[in-house]
Amino acid sequence: MTSNGSGTVGHVVAVQGPVVDVKFPSAQDIPNVFDVIEVQMASRQSLILEVAEHLPGNIARCIALMSTLNLQRNARAHATGSAVTIPVGREMYGRIVNVLGQPIDQKGAIVGGDHRPIRRTLQAIKIIRHSKVEIPELLETGIKVIDLLFPLVKGSKNGILGGAALGKSILTLELIHNMVKEHHGSCVFIGAGERIREGNELFFELSHHEVLDKVQLVFGQMNEPPGARFGVALTGVTLAEAIQRENKDVLLFVDNVFRFLQAGSEISTLLGRVPSETGYQPTLVSEASEFHERIRSLQEGGSITSLEAVYVPADDLTDPAVVTLYSFLESIMVLSRERIQLGLYPAVDPLLSSSANLDPDVVGQHHFEIAQEVMRVLQKYEELRRIVAVIGIDELSQDDRVLYARARKLQNFLTQPFFVAEAYTGRSGEYVTVTQTIAGCEWILSGYVDTVPEEKMYMIGQLS
């Protein structure tokens, strides 16, 4: 990727946290926006900057992708003439890299492999042409509540929404485990702005379950500057695109896509841009779009299916960043704090969640009808629950008492012990097929297990 500023040298004239101003000899020497500038610091380490905008006086305002500690004024800055490029390919499996594609797992350098820029124009992406009817292909996750009510389809974008400590990361980790173990699929995991402890636990958990060799990991964690937390999402989707070009289907996990947008907001503020009336950056929608438009099926190649954890600030589902993400997601699984307090794991609230893929043409008529009946019973249960809290269950009609009891059994049946949570639950993980899930729900709805206590339905796999 050539640049006007290729090979030219400037010097640092200002440092304001992660924002660095670099002055060049003339206007022709200024690198293009998104080009990389390399600066030698006092500690003899190289600092990588990405050009964000051009200022008067031949100055390039840059965002640091690494810490600017020990960066001195007047330090020499070398324009590389290219955007951020990362290694891609099979060599990346089982490795942990940062936003620049540099290994951070202490396993040595990444040798071989192709290199690709993390930013791409949409014109460079081949979009699938709907000249023929596309048959949606379901992805079985082995998690009952997801397969029944929020089925995943290859090439779709799916969100797991929830506030702090509701189990987004555990659910994401279980999905990675099941996809690799059962389907032998390839996964890319993006750790965007989450805790370092979580990244460390993820690595050792994947190693313990022997699925690390099918996963590529890229981290830009909480302790890193906003440029790294923002760019890491683009690095991750570039790794996924490389796998996709080998005619493979790839699962892209993002934890947490809200932190990616939050990093964009920080960058916008640091650059002095006026925020929108909601307090977020004025480019919120375009930044979310730049990432999500690259998650698609190719005309010649595989598909990218995304599962994105979305942090919901203060459990407010109307937060502008969360609302912006709604328009890109086909399935929205909302985690509920109330269900956590009741001990219902995974804490997906079926009545707050939705899925465009729950359609007879996608899942089949029988699956669709059972799912709709489950939703109807759970909806009725919510109404009865409020009445029971006031007047007691004995005041309900016979039909309502039966429905109330079946709904509680359904609610318990849709809980499940996870493989990756065995240390917390003390129960062995269970993988449940779609057929087993539908059969279990059908038995409960038909009254076949009316005599079975509801406690027997809690934290089990299939109903046998």
Side-chain angles (χ1 to χ4, degrees):
M1 190 173 188
T2 58
S3 166
N4 293 337
S6 179
T8 58
V9 176
H11 62 276
V12 174
V13 293
V15 182
Q16 302 168 43
V19 177
V20 180
D21 289 349
V22 179
K23 188 176 177 67
F24 286 89
S26 67
Q28 287 73 31
D29 296 324
I30 302 177
N32 293 333
V33 172
F34 300 135
D35 272 9
V36 167
I37 295 176
E38 195 172 338
V39 182
Q40 204 71 23
M41 296 198 290
S43 58
R44 299 190 178 278
Q45 289 182 317
S46 290
L47 170 67
I48 302 299
L49 309 174
E50 188 178 54
V51 178
E53 59 188 23
H54 297 160
L55 300 180
N58 309 330
I59 292 174
R61 177 156 284 176
C62 310
I63 293 292
L65 300 182
M66 305 156 72
S67 171
T68 54
L69 189 67
N70 292 326
L71 178 60
Q72 295 178 319
R73 196 160 179 257
N74 288 323
R76 282 168 59 86
H78 174 254
T80 62
S82 64
V84 175
T85 58
I86 61 163
V88 297
R90 294 176 185 174
E91 293 79 10
M92 304 299 286
Y93 283 113
R95 301 301 303 267
I96 307 175
V97 297
N98 62 13
V99 63
L100 301 168
Q102 299 167 342
I104 54 174
D105 53 7
Q106 299 177 348
K107 289 185 180 178
I110 295 168
V111 182
D114 195 8
H115 283 71
R116 295 188 183 276
I118 65 170
R119 293 182 184 270
R120 299 181 68 202
T121 59
L122 288 181
Q123 287 80 2
I125 301 171
K126 290 181 182 177
I127 300 171
I128 205 162
R129 302 295 177 195
H130 294 282
S131 54
K132 56 184 174 62
V133 177
E134 296 296 328
I135 301 171
E137 191 175 342
L138 288 174
L139 277 172
E140 186 179 88
T141 66
I143 299 173
K144 290 181 284 191
V145 69
I146 294 178
D147 287 338
L148 178 69
L149 302 175
F150 316 104
L152 303 189
V153 170
K154 281 186 181 179
S156 64
K157 307 177 189 76
N158 310 275
I160 302 169
L161 281 68
L166 293 188
K168 297 184 297 299
S169 298
I170 283 284
L171 187 53
T172 301
L173 184 53
E174 180 73 2
L175 285 161
I176 293 175
H177 173 275
N178 289 359
M179 290 300 184
V180 173
K181 280 285 187 183
E182 296 295 327
H183 303 293
H184 310 289
S186 297
C187 300
V188 174
F189 181 88
I190 302 171
E194 285 297 291
R195 301 166 188 82
I196 304 167
R197 170 186 60 77
E198 289 183 356
N200 191 56
E201 286 176 2
L202 172 74
F203 175 76
F204 285 110
E205 198 69 46
L206 293 175
S207 300
H208 173 69
H209 289 285
E210 299 177 347
V211 294
L212 193 61
D213 60 339
K214 285 289 184 181
V215 185
Q216 301 181 12
L217 302 105
V218 52
F219 284 124
Q221 301 295 74
M222 268 185 181
N223 64 322
E224 298 191 50
R229 284 181 274 126
F230 182 83
V232 74
L234 305 178
T235 299
V237 80
T238 304
L239 290 174
E241 285 172 341
I243 300 171
Q244 183 189 27
R245 283 191 205 94
E246 296 174 7
N247 211 17
K248 291 182 181 177
D249 297 318
V250 57
L251 283 153
L252 178 67
F253 294 88
V254 190
D255 190 12
N256 185 300
V257 75
F258 172 83
R259 303 291 186 199
F260 157 69
L261 295 178
Q262 192 179 44
S265 178
E266 289 177 43
I267 291 170
S268 181
T269 303
L270 289 164
L271 294 174
R273 294 173 185 156
V274 179
S276 65
E277 60 183 12
T278 61
Y280 282 94
Q281 65 268 42
T283 52
L284 178 66
V285 176
S286 65
E287 287 173 3
S289 177
E290 180 186 5
F291 171 68
H292 285 96
E293 287 302 313
R294 290 173 66 176
I295 301 169
R296 58 176 72 227
S297 299
L298 292 185
Q299 198 167 14
E300 296 174 7
S303 64
I304 301 177
T305 307
S306 76
L307 278 148
E308 305 168 25
V310 183
Y311 170 68
V312 180
D315 293 347
D316 179 16
L317 292 169
T318 62
D319 183 87
V322 177
V323 171
T324 298
L325 291 167
Y326 286 157
S327 59
F328 298 101
L329 303 175
E330 290 165 44
S331 286
I332 297 168
M333 290 165 264
V334 180
L335 302 182
S336 157
R337 199 164 298 280
E338 184 182 5
R339 293 177 77 83
I340 288 281
Q341 291 162 353
L342 293 170
L344 301 171
Y345 301 99
V348 178
D349 189 327
L351 303 181
L352 285 177
S353 310
S354 65
S355 174
N357 298 324
L358 188 60
D359 184 279
D361 295 334
V362 178
V363 299
Q365 190 65 37
H366 182 58
H367 181 157
F368 177 74
E369 287 172 359
I370 295 295
Q372 289 300 308
E373 184 62 15
V374 167
M375 293 291 280
R376 187 191 70 79
V377 169
L378 293 176
Q379 180 70 58
K380 184 67 176 174
Y381 169 73
E382 280 301 307
E383 297 168 14
L384 293 175
R385 193 169 62 90
R386 294 186 181 92
I387 297 169
V388 168
V390 177
I391 63 172
I393 194 169
D394 294 333
E395 298 300 318
L396 296 179
S397 67
Q398 180 61 32
D399 287 349
D400 281 350
R401 276 206 296 272
V402 169
L403 187 142
Y404 186 84
R406 288 177 185 173
R408 289 185 66 86
K409 287 187 176 116
L410 268 176
Q411 197 168 246
N412 281 356
F413 177 65
L414 291 177
T415 63
Q416 189 168 342
F418 282 1
F419 291 97
V420 298
E422 288 174 359
Y424 312 119
T425 62
R427 298 169 186 255
S428 298
E430 294 267 3
Y431 182 96
V432 186
T433 65
V434 178
T435 307
Q436 292 168 341
T437 301
I438 293 170
C441 291
E442 209 168 1
W443 287 352
I444 295 170
L445 292 168
S446 65
Y448 185 74
V449 291
D450 277 358
T451 55
V452 179
E454 65 182 57
E455 298 81 32
K456 296 283 187 183
M457 303 286 174
Y458 180 68
M459 278 290 182
I460 62 170
Q462 62 174 319
L463 194 59
S464 54

